[in-house]
Amino acid sequence: MGSNLKLKALFIVVVLLACVYGIIGLPTSKEQLVANWNKNIHLGLDLKGGSQLVLQVQIQDAFKAEADTVIQRLKDQLTGKRVTFTEMTRNDPPDLKSADSIQIDVKGVPATSAGDFRALVNDNFGGVWNLTSVNSTDYRLTMKTSEALKLRQDTLTQSMNTIEKKINALGLAETSVQQRGGSTAESELLVQLPGVDDPARIKQILKTAAILELYEVIGGPYSSRDEALSSKGGVLPLNSQVVVSPARAGSPGGAYILGRTPVVTGRDLRDASPQQDQNGRWETRFVLTQDAARRFERFTGANIGKPLAIVLDKNVLSAPTIQADRKSTRLNS
């Protein structure tokens, strides 16, 4: 009996010594002991202290941005099909609860163009929006319930991923980003930052929207906005805009004339990952929603050899050239 107790005690001591060795090793000084301890023991927010932030995702802004994109795209397509209208507007949901009440009103469509209008809307936007007639010349688009739920969740997921990437870029360890539970907190994210005692700085960094968009390049780069305007005789082409980007590491900056409506946006992405091609060059592979994939295919197919601007938060990161091979279309810088 006593022999068994001794063996058990010896085993426990050996396990404890192995654990201690795994944490601190065999330090030769107090400094090395402290360094090994800090490297291998990560204290959480309750022991180490730090900052805890509760961020509310403004989901209604995602619905408004989606509607604005559809309005601009629909205007372009109606103009191309010579279908006239007098006005196209959206409502302005004021809060999270009313976000999915987003609607687009189109007024003044001639009765003779009703068939063409309906066909265009249903073919290009019918997967996401319901079209109903208000009267003989006015129409309303409302987002389908399933698509509204999907947009809510996608917005939260993308916000969480964006925040995690920003925090990881700061080199912070043992951080946590998670959705808060409960129906009243469905749009709130809990961010825990052990060891961070300056939450104001972190909050300012996390405020950046990180909106990714791909635009047609009409002209550029130019050294300034004035030069961009001068290149077009002082008058911008229809449905275009000037985007001025500051110089930064890896990008010389400058001004570009871009299309007003993005070809695709970050909301259209379902997956993206860096990979190396057969020549060892890095490239980004991405998967788009069905609707975005059709738009991207049509645009790139019609613009091979032309640049496509990659824009993040209204700054042009790069404008690679659209190239094609037998199997796919790619962007090469």
Side-chain angles (χ1 to χ4, degrees):
M1 183 72 174
S3 177
N4 287 337
L5 288 176
K6 289 181 180 180
L7 288 175
K8 289 180 180 179
L10 179 61
F11 176 75
I12 292 173
V13 170
V14 170
V15 172
L16 289 175
L17 290 175
C19 292
V20 171
Y21 174 77
I23 295 173
I24 65 174
L26 295 174
T28 58
S29 65
K30 180 181 178 180
E31 290 76 14
Q32 188 177 0
L33 172 63
V34 173
N36 290 347
W37 179 272
N38 291 333
K39 178 181 179 181
N40 296 306
I41 298 294
H42 301 288
L43 301 179
L45 196 65
D46 52 343
L47 297 176
K48 190 177 182 180
S51 300
Q52 178 171 290
L53 303 175
V54 177
L55 305 177
Q56 188 175 66
V57 181
Q58 299 300 303
I59 295 178
Q60 69 269 29
D61 290 344
F63 280 81
K64 295 174 188 177
E66 183 71 18
D68 288 339
T69 299
V70 170
I71 286 174
Q72 190 58 52
R73 191 172 293 135
L74 181 55
K75 285 181 178 179
D76 293 342
Q77 293 180 2
L78 290 175
T79 300
K81 293 291 185 179
R82 300 183 183 279
V83 176
T84 60
F85 60 94
T86 58
E87 185 181 27
M88 191 180 304
T89 59
R90 64 161 172 80
N91 63 340
D92 188 21
D95 51 37
L96 300 169
K97 291 183 179 180
S98 61
D100 50 9
S101 68
I102 192 75
Q103 64 185 43
I104 298 172
D105 291 308
V106 185
K107 298 180 179 181
V109 178
T112 55
S113 301
D116 292 337
F117 175 80
R118 287 179 174 276
L120 189 150
V121 172
N122 289 328
D123 289 346
N124 293 280
F125 307 99
V128 178
W129 297 81
N130 289 317
L131 176 65
T132 57
S133 59
V134 178
N135 53 49
S136 60
T137 61
D138 300 345
Y139 298 85
R140 177 166 296 161
L141 283 77
T142 55
M143 188 172 287
K144 294 181 177 179
T145 302
S146 59
E147 294 298 324
L149 290 172
K150 188 170 181 295
L151 180 56
R152 279 180 175 268
Q153 190 55 52
D154 286 348
T155 302
L156 282 171
T157 300
Q158 291 177 11
S159 297
M160 288 179 62
N161 292 338
T162 299
I163 291 172
E164 286 178 344
K165 290 177 181 178
K166 289 183 178 182
I167 291 175
N168 292 337
L170 297 174
L172 302 178
E174 301 301 310
T175 59
S176 171
V177 181
Q178 56 188 323
Q179 186 176 350
R180 297 187 71 190
S183 58
T184 59
E186 62 175 355
S187 64
E188 292 181 347
L189 301 179
L190 178 64
V191 182
Q192 295 182 324
L193 308 166
V196 175
D197 56 5
D198 186 7
R201 183 177 71 90
I202 300 298
K203 191 182 298 185
Q204 188 62 38
I205 293 173
L206 297 183
K207 280 184 178 179
T208 308
I211 298 175
L212 177 68
E213 298 168 309
L214 305 184
Y215 283 94
E216 174 190 7
V217 176
I218 299 174
Y222 305 100
S223 61
S224 65
R225 179 183 181 86
D226 289 340
E227 183 182 341
L229 290 172
S230 296
S231 70
K232 301 298 180 181
V235 179
L236 286 176
L238 186 65
N239 296 324
S240 68
Q241 61 179 325
V242 176
V243 175
V244 181
S245 302
R248 66 174 70 84
S251 174
Y256 287 82
I257 299 177
L258 306 179
R260 185 164 293 278
T261 306
V263 180
V264 296
T265 71
R267 295 186 299 275
D268 296 317
L269 295 177
R270 288 295 171 264
D271 184 35
S273 61
Q275 296 182 13
Q276 285 184 301
D277 63 14
Q278 58 186 2
N279 297 317
R281 296 176 300 184
W282 283 101
E283 60 185 19
T284 300
R285 304 265 178 155
F286 53 87
V287 178
L288 297 169
T289 62
Q290 290 185 353
D291 176 60
R294 289 193 293 268
R295 282 188 273 115
F296 191 70
E297 180 183 22
R298 288 195 297 267
F299 178 83
T300 54
N303 291 276
I304 293 174
K306 298 179 181 179
L308 179 68
I310 300 174
V311 180
L312 181 66
D313 292 334
K314 301 303 179 183
N315 288 316
V316 179
L317 300 182
S318 63
T321 302
I322 301 171
Q323 296 189 1
D325 55 32
R326 294 181 180 177
K327 295 183 179 180
S328 63
T329 301
R330 66 180 66 235
L331 302 175
N332 287 347
S333 300

